[in-house]
Amino acid sequence: MNVRMSCVGLRNLLQGLSFSVKYYSKHNHLQTICLYSKTQQKKCHILDCSGSTCTHKTLPTGSILPWRLFSCKEGTKIPSKRKQNTSIITSELLYKNLLKSEQENWNDISARYKAMTERIKEKLEELHNKYTFNSVSPRIRFGENVYFEENGCIFLSKADDVDEGNVDVLFSTKDLGFSDAFIQRIRISPDQRYMAISLKSENSEEATCVIMKLDHSPVIEKVIPSVFSFEWATNDVLYYTSQKNLKCQNVFMTTFTDQKHTKLVYTEQDARFFVDIYCTKDRRFLTINSNSKTTSEVWLIDCRHPFKLPALVQARTKGVIYHIEHRNDELYILTTYGELAEYKLMKAPVASSGMENWQLVYALEKKTKLVDLEMFSDHCVMFLKNAGHLYLNVISFVSHLVQSIELPTWACEFELESHPEHTTSTCYFQLTSPVHPPKCFAYSFKENNLIEQAVQEVPIITNCHTTRLLAKSKDETLVPITVFHSMNSKELHRKPLLVHVYGAYGIDLNMSFKEEKLMLIEEGWILAYCHVRGGGELGLSWHKDGCQYNKLKGLHDLKACIMLLHQLGFSQPKYTALAAASAGGVLAGALCNTDPELIRAMVLQAPFVDVLNTMMKTHLPLTIEEQEEWGNPLADEKCMKYIKSYCPYQNIKPQCYPSVFITAYENDQRIPLTGVLRYVQKLRKAALDHASRIRKKVITSFIVPGNWIPSIILDIQANGSHCDSSWEDSLNEVARHLAFLNKELEEVCHLQHHMKSGK
């Protein structure tokens, strides 16, 4: 269904429950992407197990969280008393038979795409090598030392020697027996004696934390399985969260002193909340963040006194999201509290942190998306989107002035430095777009100006034109569209168009650089990104206006966007394809049911297409957490009927469908493969039934458009998961998708020629 994406700064909170569209990326740089689950809000209870019995009690603001004293036995399995009945066995057999049938079907038809797939792969590898030639891995600076990762190894160098190649190898996945994993996150202890690393394989969503002791010869000190987030409180005290079945609800503390021990510090009682650990930029506090989609609660761990009990900042209040930073004994609170449910920056004393003491520092304008926020000693930098344009707001804590800096119009996405130093006088970041490789920029607090870094050795494409449009939806709402095409393209109405959509969880469409997008532009394609409601491009209200009982608004937005593109001469239906992934499959699949004539082909990656059946199954790991996005059909008949009105699987009917190519994963914990299998079977049957009915009505021997039978292809990958796959697997996936689209649109031309010749 979806995945949270945690990058640097506060993006893990701001992006909410995100899915990063997973196109390929060689793991030759430090991975900062972390996987989140989704949650909902409920009254918090603190579990006190200090005595012989457990009791629930509600704690006031500023109170202390007691230690959890009950034991945690990892790997303990509780045997089920329920016998496996015949229906379950039958269901499993049907699933296995369907899976085998689809795999055989793909093996039979894949040969038709092989030659084109290989050609596309060669081109993509060429572009990848060209535009990543001089890329630099993200670096963690500690005084004179610099830590960075490349090709599964972690290196240490002096700041002056890092570009000279004088480095020490601290860790190697291959040499230490983790060859099938990639490095996801690195945390260095304050005195640099320890290094914590999270390792993740492509076939699992759970990571392993490896703690290295950085002596003259680095050695593994400890290995902790199933870890999500972790931070150092002091030189030898590490806090971490454990993950199980896509849920993260326990916080542990482990020490590396002479008396080593591990304690359970916090347990979230509400299954709809997801817990992670964050360290404030000045390293004064660790924060235990318990977040649902609409509600937050934060506890503080004092890094000067790491064994003291966590203190509550503000008890969870329904509808209020907040996140904490710290500066000069004051908490800076990024929150939705107050009028207009967009983010505001507020502050309060550490000693009296309750909501009644929050004071406004800065409020965002309406329909403005806060992408990220970075705190520095004397400044705060907000990374913002408004009407498709990127800009910075720099708040000075000294002068109390706010400076707004517009960024280049071609930019569509920020890529931030992994670990900016708190006391630095410069904020570094990169700008990118789907067709523009990342370009380095810096903002100087001293000079109050934007600095463009050294020009890349490889020239950047300059003949790509970017157009921003507004489509009027069914209810008159204006929906943004970002369009890319070559300046050299003529007769745009004859060019192929690839439309992208997501529209869920308040997440923006992924508009970072991808080699395949640049390749498509060079080959004459038009790319369009439809920023429909349900996504986050225009702030929190944009998401709220497209979730639960507003889901159909996203569908209406998508239809309006495609129709406007065609009206303005950007391609036409027979040359138009639609691309979506994960929850984006809901709107894409719904459009195929309601307006199949608008597109010729569709490619879906791990799509969520069986909404109703999935939301009816509470035993699935994410169903309860997803209710804030989709609703609860089990408890609300009105909700059930509403979901049924747009659910792709529920609304398949005999008609002329576009061709569809779906990639799914056997190990996907978020999108049940059974739902995808059912969808493909039903869609294929509907398309064949329609073709059969039309064939009976045909009197002449001439081919008619309605007699065209679409290709419905399911490519099930044994490797990879919803979020990660190897370079080779991802490259193959993208190449197969593009080969499929090229073949389908080529057949349009052949069919037209066939009809004109009367054959």
Side-chain angles (χ1 to χ4, degrees):
M1 284 133 64
N2 83 320
V3 181
R4 281 194 179 187
M5 177 166 64
S6 170
C7 293
V8 294
L10 309 182
R11 189 174 296 205
N12 56 340
L13 173 73
L14 305 178
Q15 285 288 66
L17 315 174
S18 72
F19 171 75
S20 174
V21 179
K22 181 205 61 177
Y23 287 106
Y24 64 87
S25 172
K26 275 188 177 177
H27 301 307
N28 60 353
H29 60 277
L30 175 61
Q31 298 288 323
T32 56
I33 293 179
C34 302
L35 309 177
Y36 279 66
S37 181
K38 295 118 340 254
T39 45
Q40 203 180 39
Q41 84 86 26
K42 187 179 181 182
K43 187 174 181 181
C44 176
H45 293 287
I46 301 304
L47 186 62
D48 184 3
C49 293
S50 55
S52 59
T53 60
C54 295
T55 60
H56 291 280
K57 54 185 179 181
T58 303
L59 297 190
T61 300
S63 59
I64 301 301
L65 175 67
W67 293 109
R68 305 297 192 268
L69 300 179
F70 54 87
S71 64
C72 178
K73 298 180 180 180
E74 296 183 6
T76 302
K77 294 185 178 180
I78 301 175
S80 174
K81 295 181 180 180
R82 185 182 301 173
K83 294 182 179 180
Q84 193 175 29
N85 58 40
T86 306
S87 63
I88 294 177
I89 297 173
T90 303
S91 178
E92 290 178 353
L93 287 174
L94 287 173
Y95 169 77
K96 290 179 180 178
N97 289 336
L98 277 177
L99 179 61
K100 183 179 179 181
S101 174
E102 290 299 336
Q103 289 170 334
E104 291 175 349
N105 182 62
W106 167 245
N107 290 334
D108 290 341
I109 64 176
S110 59
R112 76 173 71 162
Y113 303 106
K114 186 174 182 181
M116 187 172 291
T117 298
E118 292 303 316
R119 180 188 69 80
I120 292 172
K121 282 172 59 178
E122 290 178 7
K123 179 65 175 177
L124 291 177
E125 288 183 312
E126 177 186 331
L127 287 171
H128 181 82
N129 294 332
K130 178 179 180 181
Y131 288 106
T132 60
F133 175 78
N134 61 341
S135 63
V136 178
S137 299
R139 297 174 180 184
I140 305 172
R141 298 179 183 274
F142 268 82
E144 296 181 353
N145 291 335
V146 176
Y147 299 83
F148 62 98
E149 184 268 344
E150 285 184 0
N151 298 322
C153 295
I154 299 175
F155 300 94
L156 169 63
S157 175
K158 296 297 181 183
D160 296 336
D161 295 337
V162 67
D163 294 324
E164 303 298 325
N166 299 322
V167 298
D168 296 324
V169 180
L170 302 180
F171 179 85
S172 169
T173 54
K174 184 177 180 180
D175 293 345
L176 294 176
F178 299 102
S179 57
D180 63 338
F182 63 86
I183 297 171
Q184 187 180 46
R185 176 185 286 190
I186 300 173
R187 294 293 184 266
I188 310 295
S189 65
D191 63 358
Q192 303 183 62
R193 288 193 300 125
Y194 292 97
M195 175 174 64
I197 311 156
S198 62
L199 301 173
K200 188 176 176 302
S201 74
E202 64 184 74
N203 294 322
S204 172
E205 295 215 20
E206 295 182 356
T208 297
C209 183
V210 178
I211 294 89
M212 303 288 296
K213 190 171 185 179
L214 303 180
D215 288 331
H216 297 294
S217 178
V219 295
I220 295 179
E221 185 77 8
K222 189 172 185 176
V223 177
I224 311 173
S226 303
V227 171
F228 176 71
S229 59
F230 50 90
E231 296 286 352
W232 293 99
T234 64
N235 296 332
D236 46 23
V237 177
L238 182 76
Y239 279 76
Y240 66 91
T241 59
S242 62
Q243 184 176 3
K244 184 178 181 180
N245 294 331
L246 305 181
K247 298 178 184 293
C248 197
Q249 296 180 299
N250 294 321
V251 179
F252 294 87
M253 177 197 69
T254 187
T255 65
F256 296 88
T257 57
D258 292 337
Q259 295 181 338
K260 297 178 174 62
H261 68 280
T262 299
K263 268 188 178 179
L264 179 62
V265 177
Y266 177 89
T267 294
E268 174 55 60
Q269 300 298 318
D270 191 330
R272 296 170 296 180
F273 279 70
F274 188 93
V275 181
D276 73 343
I277 298 288
Y278 176 76
C279 183
T280 59
K281 289 297 171 59
D282 61 359
R283 298 203 58 83
R284 178 68 171 77
F285 292 102
L286 297 187
T287 62
I288 298 175
N289 310 296
S290 189
N291 296 312
S292 82
K293 187 62 181 176
T294 61
T295 305
S296 301
E297 184 173 87
V298 180
W299 297 76
L300 295 180
I301 299 166
D302 191 337
C303 290
R304 296 180 303 183
H305 307 286
F307 299 106
K308 281 190 175 182
L309 303 177
L312 178 64
V313 175
Q314 165 62 46
R316 63 191 67 179
T317 302
K318 186 176 181 179
V320 176
I321 298 172
Y322 74 98
H323 189 92
I324 297 298
E325 265 293 352
H326 176 265
R327 175 184 177 271
N328 293 349
D329 293 324
E330 287 187 309
L331 298 179
Y332 281 80
I333 306 153
L334 186 67
T335 180
T336 59
Y337 173 67
E339 293 296 324
L340 294 177
E342 296 293 344
Y343 280 109
K344 308 160 193 69
L345 185 63
M346 307 183 85
K347 67 178 182 178
V350 174
S352 52
S353 61
M355 193 181 292
E356 66 277 6
N357 299 312
W358 293 4
Q359 299 177 354
L360 181 65
V361 176
Y362 183 80
L364 291 182
E365 295 179 1
K366 191 177 180 180
K367 292 190 176 181
T368 297
K369 171 65 180 281
L370 178 58
V371 178
D372 211 332
L373 178 147
E374 291 286 6
M375 290 288 291
F376 298 89
S377 56
D378 294 324
H379 297 84
C380 169
V381 180
M382 291 183 168
F383 297 82
L384 306 170
K385 284 184 182 180
N386 186 284
H389 296 280
L390 306 186
Y391 63 102
L392 308 178
N393 271 2
V394 181
I395 302 172
S396 171
F397 296 127
V398 178
S399 67
H400 304 290
L401 297 176
V402 179
Q403 184 170 354
S404 184
I405 298 97
E406 292 187 7
L407 299 174
T409 56
W410 57 262
C412 298
E413 202 82 74
F414 294 105
E415 293 186 6
L416 309 184
E417 191 178 49
S418 298
H419 300 280
E421 296 182 63
H422 176 64
T423 57
T424 185
S425 61
T426 307
C427 176
Y428 296 95
F429 59 95
Q430 295 180 335
L431 297 177
T432 183
S433 86
V435 297
H436 198 301
K439 190 171 181 60
C440 298
F441 289 82
Y443 180 80
S444 170
F445 299 128
K446 291 182 179 179
E447 303 296 331
N448 290 325
N449 65 350
L450 186 68
I451 305 167
E452 185 173 338
Q453 301 294 290
V455 178
Q456 283 94 333
E457 296 176 14
V458 178
I460 303 302
I461 183 171
T462 57
N463 67 337
C464 181
H465 185 68
T466 304
T467 304
R468 289 180 171 87
L469 305 171
L470 291 173
K472 186 177 291 187
S473 193
K474 185 177 180 179
D475 61 358
E476 305 293 308
T477 298
L478 297 179
V479 183
I481 314 171
T482 308
V483 184
F484 303 91
H485 65 85
S486 173
M487 291 182 181
N488 300 326
S489 292
K490 297 179 181 180
E491 295 187 315
L492 290 174
H493 68 286
R494 295 182 180 274
K495 299 297 182 182
L497 166 65
L498 182 58
V499 178
H500 303 75
V501 69
Y502 187 67
Y505 305 111
I507 303 306
D508 300 2
L509 271 171
N510 186 346
M511 297 188 70
S512 57
F513 176 69
K514 302 295 179 186
E515 289 87 346
E516 65 269 22
K517 309 304 181 187
L518 183 55
M519 185 193 78
L520 290 175
I521 291 294
E522 291 178 347
E523 294 188 353
W525 282 68
I526 304 167
L527 305 179
Y529 292 77
C530 302
H531 309 293
V532 303
R533 281 173 286 185
E537 286 86 346
L538 295 181
L540 296 176
S541 59
W542 196 246
H543 166 235
K544 186 177 180 181
D545 209 20
C547 68
Q548 291 200 1
Y549 288 106
N550 292 321
K551 277 294 174 186
L552 281 171
K553 291 182 180 180
L555 175 59
H556 298 153
D557 293 351
L558 177 59
K559 178 180 177 180
C561 289
I562 297 176
M563 291 181 67
L564 178 65
L565 289 166
H566 293 159
Q567 289 168 10
L568 295 179
F570 292 105
S571 193
Q572 49 189 300
K574 60 188 175 185
Y575 300 130
T576 299
L578 182 59
S582 193
V586 174
L587 296 183
L591 183 82
C592 281
N593 289 328
T594 60
D595 300 274
E597 72 281 356
L598 289 179
I599 60 175
R600 165 71 188 196
M602 178 171 70
V603 288
L604 301 175
Q605 184 185 38
F608 188 29
V609 287
D610 193 5
V611 185
L612 185 59
N613 284 322
T614 302
M615 295 307 297
M616 297 281 282
K617 296 176 180 177
T618 56
H619 68 278
L620 295 175
L622 299 179
T623 297
I624 294 175
E625 293 89 332
E626 295 287 344
Q627 289 171 358
E628 285 183 310
E629 181 72 21
W630 310 98
N632 183 0
L634 288 173
D636 187 347
E637 186 176 352
K638 180 183 175 183
C639 175
M640 181 185 294
K641 291 180 179 178
Y642 188 78
I643 292 176
K644 194 172 183 178
S645 72
Y646 67 79
C647 173
Y649 174 76
Q650 296 292 331
N651 292 280
I652 294 172
K653 57 189 176 184
Q655 61 179 345
C656 186
Y657 277 98
S659 288
V660 180
F661 189 108
I662 297 176
T663 297
Y665 307 95
E666 284 192 59
N667 298 312
D668 196 333
Q669 293 177 267
R670 297 179 179 269
I671 304 294
L673 184 56
T674 52
V676 179
L677 286 167
R678 282 197 301 266
Y679 175 79
V680 169
Q681 292 287 320
K682 188 174 181 180
L683 185 65
R684 193 177 287 143
K685 183 178 184 302
L688 291 173
D689 286 349
H690 172 73
S692 178
R693 292 178 187 178
I694 294 296
R695 191 176 295 114
K696 292 177 181 178
K697 295 179 181 180
V698 175
I699 300 176
T700 68
S701 60
F702 294 109
I703 296 177
V704 295
N707 201 36
W708 171 72
I709 302 177
S711 300
I712 311 293
I713 300 172
L714 176 59
D715 177 17
I716 301 172
Q717 295 294 304
N719 296 320
S721 64
H722 195 88
C723 314
D724 300 286
S725 65
S726 68
W727 155 259
E728 292 80 9
D729 289 340
S730 293
L731 175 62
N732 286 329
E733 284 178 28
V734 174
R736 285 194 293 265
H737 286 178
L738 298 185
F740 168 79
L741 293 179
N742 275 286
K743 282 285 187 181
E744 289 300 317
L745 298 186
E746 278 183 3
E747 289 179 7
V748 174
C749 300
H750 294 160
L751 179 59
Q752 285 182 322
H753 176 74
H754 197 65
M755 291 174 62
K756 288 179 180 179
S757 63
K759 295 180 181 179

